Amino acid sequence: MSSKHSFTNPTPTIVFFLFFALQISTFLAASSHVINFRSPNLFPEGLAWDPTGQHFLVGSLRHRTISAISDAGVVETLVSDPSLPENVAILGLAVDSRNNRVLAALHAPAPLPPFNALAAYDLRSGHRLFLSALPSAEEGDEKGAVANDVAVDFKGNAYVTNSGGNYIWKVSEKGEAGIFSNSARFTEHPVIIEEKFSSCGLNGLVYNGKGYLLVVQSNTGKMFKVDADDGVARLVLLNEDLVGADGVALRNDGVVLVVSLKRVWLVKSNDGWSQGVVFDKIDLDDEGFPTSIVVRERQRAYVLHGRVMEGILGNSSESFKIEEVRSPRESEGENVWMYVMVGIGLAYFLFWRFQMKQLLNNMNKKIN
């Protein structure tokens, strides 16, 4: 009788499935990856993902180094370049997988002599391949220039934003540098004053494989689409300004992620980026001064907390982190599908139990 009862009473099974669903939901909500790493006074501003080496790469505000960071937080120096000018900052980074190299935007902040360049290093050996000085648009312009972020196209051409001069440099695969886009579109919009980023113009950028760049401007919150052939820039019409925008990353599904001190915006477009829509936001803790964002395999996005402002102010620190971020709206969708699958499994199991009950009843009738 007890055996028969265990087959026909569905209550324990329902409780088990609900408990199982709750555990999965809790796991999904709590399983974001956080990488804490330590390196004295590193203060990294730029972040890149090396898919071949399966590690992150970070630059440094204080050291002339590029470091590899493992998923476990192990720090190894990939590049150490003492031949660079003293106290030069290694800011934006981009991995050029096709040419097995990492590209680094270099800037020497005041009161050091003006220095803005792009360096290329071999991804495995760390040896420098070239160092290209970035030219000024006009005489005296070099004093306000800031080589900030870098992106690379499929041909190995690099594009570097000038946050002080509001234009974009281009550096060929062989290291030949020139001014690529100095569009009037970049200076048409009012600057948001009385903010930390009021002097920071063009900042993060990303190359889209369809032949254009998407570039954000910190002190206006605007996004621009820049043709990768002729440098023609057009304003992307958004439903809200991305004020304080810094790093930019592109997912395989076309969604663009833009990071600022306090949030990550998720932006998409259905018309090739004439217009775009912010469809979700991820709140960030600004204590670590988030500056850069990357996407690795399976669309996983990570933000760098490099405490850059502490480094600028001359403070000391050795603790930094790289944090995985997830879209609340997209995570809700994942949880819905999880519950649907659990529901289907529960329905199937209950149907099987019903069939077993019928089978047992039929067997009992035959025996009797």
Side-chain angles (χ1 to χ4, degrees), residues 121-362:
Y121 299 94
D122 186 274
L123 264 177
R124 302 284 80 85
S125 68
H127 293 156
R128 192 169 76 192
L129 303 174
F130 66 73
L131 176 65
S132 299
L134 300 173
S136 302
E138 55 188 46
E139 188 175 351
D141 172 65
E142 68 276 1
K143 293 182 179 180
V146 179
N148 195 325
D149 202 5
V150 57
V152 62
D153 66 18
F154 297 148
K155 298 178 181 178
N157 299 306
Y159 305 86
V160 183
T161 50
N162 181 347
S163 293
N166 275 312
Y167 55 81
I168 302 171
W169 290 287
K170 181 176 181 178
V171 182
S172 72
E173 180 184 356
K174 298 184 181 300
E176 300 163 340
I179 295 172
F180 171 64
S181 181
N182 194 5
S183 173
R185 303 287 85 78
F186 299 147
T187 55
E188 286 181 340
H189 306 281
V191 171
I192 300 170
I193 59 175
E194 298 180 356
E195 290 285 355
K196 297 175 183 177
F197 49 79
S198 60
S199 62
C200 184
L202 296 181
N203 199 330
L205 77 169
V206 66
Y207 176 75
N208 185 296
K210 295 181 180 179
Y212 54 85
L213 304 164
L214 292 174
V215 189
V216 294
Q217 193 168 45
S218 300
N219 56 11
T220 66
K222 303 301 182 185
M223 177 184 285
F224 301 93
K225 176 183 178 180
V226 182
D227 191 289
D229 289 326
D230 56 21
V232 172
R234 296 176 177 83
L235 177 69
V236 178
L237 299 177
L238 300 176
N239 56 330
E240 66 175 275
D241 288 336
L242 311 177
V243 177
D246 199 332
V248 182
L250 177 66
R251 294 196 324 203
N252 290 335
D253 60 1
V255 171
V256 170
L257 298 94
V258 182
V259 68
S260 71
L261 286 180
K262 296 184 177 181
R263 65 185 56 86
V264 173
W265 292 278
L266 285 85
V267 193
K268 62 183 178 180
S269 174
N270 295 323
D271 64 357
W273 294 99
S274 294
Q275 301 180 68
V277 176
V278 175
F279 70 91
D280 203 2
K281 303 174 189 178
I282 306 168
D283 292 331
L284 299 176
D285 179 5
D286 63 356
E287 181 182 357
F289 210 86
T291 53
S292 189
I293 187 167
V294 296
V295 175
R296 61 186 288 185
E297 69 274 4
R298 300 194 304 275
Q299 310 280 36
R300 297 172 68 185
Y302 287 77
V303 169
L304 171 66
H305 297 255
R307 300 185 177 275
V308 172
M309 186 53 67
E310 293 182 31
I312 293 173
L313 295 175
N315 298 331
S316 297
S317 181
E318 62 176 18
S319 298
F320 312 98
K321 73 176 180 179
I322 299 169
E323 177 186 20
E324 184 180 9
V325 292
R326 294 182 174 183
S327 160
R329 180 170 296 182
E330 292 177 332
S331 296
E332 287 175 4
E334 291 175 0
N335 288 341
V336 167
W337 276 109
M338 184 271 296
Y339 283 116
V340 168
M341 295 304 295
V342 171
I344 292 173
L346 177 60
Y348 180 82
F349 188 77
L350 291 177
F351 176 74
W352 175 80
R353 289 177 63 90
F354 174 78
Q355 293 290 88
M356 290 297 296
K357 179 182 177 181
Q358 293 294 103
L359 177 61
L360 287 173
N361 288 336
N362 292 336

Side-chain angles (χ1 to χ4, degrees), residues 93-114:
L93 299 175
V95 169
D96 180 6
S97 297
R98 295 190 178 207
N99 292 298
N100 195 42
R101 61 186 185 172
V102 58
L103 303 167
L106 311 177
H107 172 68
L112 299 172

Side-chain angles (χ1 to χ4, degrees), residues 32-50:
S32 291
H33 187 197
V34 178
I35 303 168
N36 294 297
F37 62 98
R38 303 173 72 88
S39 183
N41 296 324
L42 189 68
F43 297 111
E45 194 274 346
L47 176 70
W49 171 251
D50 177 6

Side-chain angles (χ1 to χ4, degrees), residues 65-102:
T65 61
I66 298 175
S67 302
I69 314 295
S70 73
D71 281 342
V74 176
V75 181
E76 294 184 1
T77 300
L78 172 66
V79 173
S80 180
D81 194 348
S83 67
L84 294 174
E86 187 176 357
N87 294 327
V88 72
I90 297 180
L91 300 179
L93 299 175
V95 169
D96 180 6
S97 297
R98 295 190 178 207
N99 292 298
N100 195 42
R101 61 186 185 172
V102 58

